[in-house]
Amino acid sequence: MPRDLACGLAAFALLPVWAEEGLPQRAPVTQFAPLLRAALDAPGGTAHGVLAGLVAAAFKRQFGTGGEIDIDVSTIVRYAQPGCARLRVDVSQEGVKLSAQAAPQRQQVRFELNYCSDGLPPRSLATGAAR
């Protein structure tokens, strides 16, 4: 991930809000970090948001779509170090055109990272008790 994108995706706090049907309502975020921390703190280990702000506008303009950029974070494993886990991040957007001639389609990027609530990687990858 380019440094500018990573820096551009790390500031608003996210309070998870759940719909009656059990599906997440996505709160707007301008950075990934609040969602990463929310997933670390959530009893179920997940957090959901939608990218907003200048970075989202640039992506929408680049790919010729008004589709929301959804971000889903889930905990894969919790480490022994408090507040640290391996997280999976799924970023998806509908209506993406990869070229002027291409049909709009859903695009998704998935990546994983080791992350702690202080924003640093864990000191050790020893696993803790599952939560």
Side-chain angles (χ1 to χ4, degrees):
M1 176 182 306
R3 181 166 164 58
D4 291 344
L5 175 59
C7 291
L9 302 173
F12 289 2
L14 172 74
L15 299 174
V17 179
W18 300 96
E20 289 182 34
E21 300 84 27
L23 298 175
Q25 291 184 347
R26 298 176 181 278
V29 295
T30 59
Q31 301 179 353
F32 281 64
L35 289 172
L36 301 177
R37 286 191 299 272
L40 289 173
D41 294 339
T46 62
H48 310 277
V50 61
L51 189 61
L54 296 176
V55 174
F59 272 102
K60 290 177 181 183
R61 190 171 45 256
Q62 173 69 33
F63 295 114
T65 180
E68 298 293 342
I69 302 169
D70 294 333
I71 305 168
D72 297 297
V73 181
S74 55
T75 301
I76 297 171
V77 63
R78 293 194 187 270
Y79 296 123
Q81 183 179 340
C84 298
R86 178 132 186 113
L87 301 174
R88 180 178 66 221
V89 181
D90 289 295
V91 181
S92 61
Q93 185 177 27
E94 297 290 341
V96 172
K97 292 183 70 170
L98 297 178
S99 71
Q101 299 79 19
Q105 59 184 324
R106 182 176 193 270
Q107 292 292 318
Q108 181 173 336
V109 174
R110 173 179 283 174
F111 61 94
E112 295 180 4
L113 70 157
N114 297 320
Y115 190 81
C116 297
S117 55
D118 62 5
L120 298 173
R123 291 185 298 277
S124 166
L125 298 182
T127 57
R131 281 186 10 169

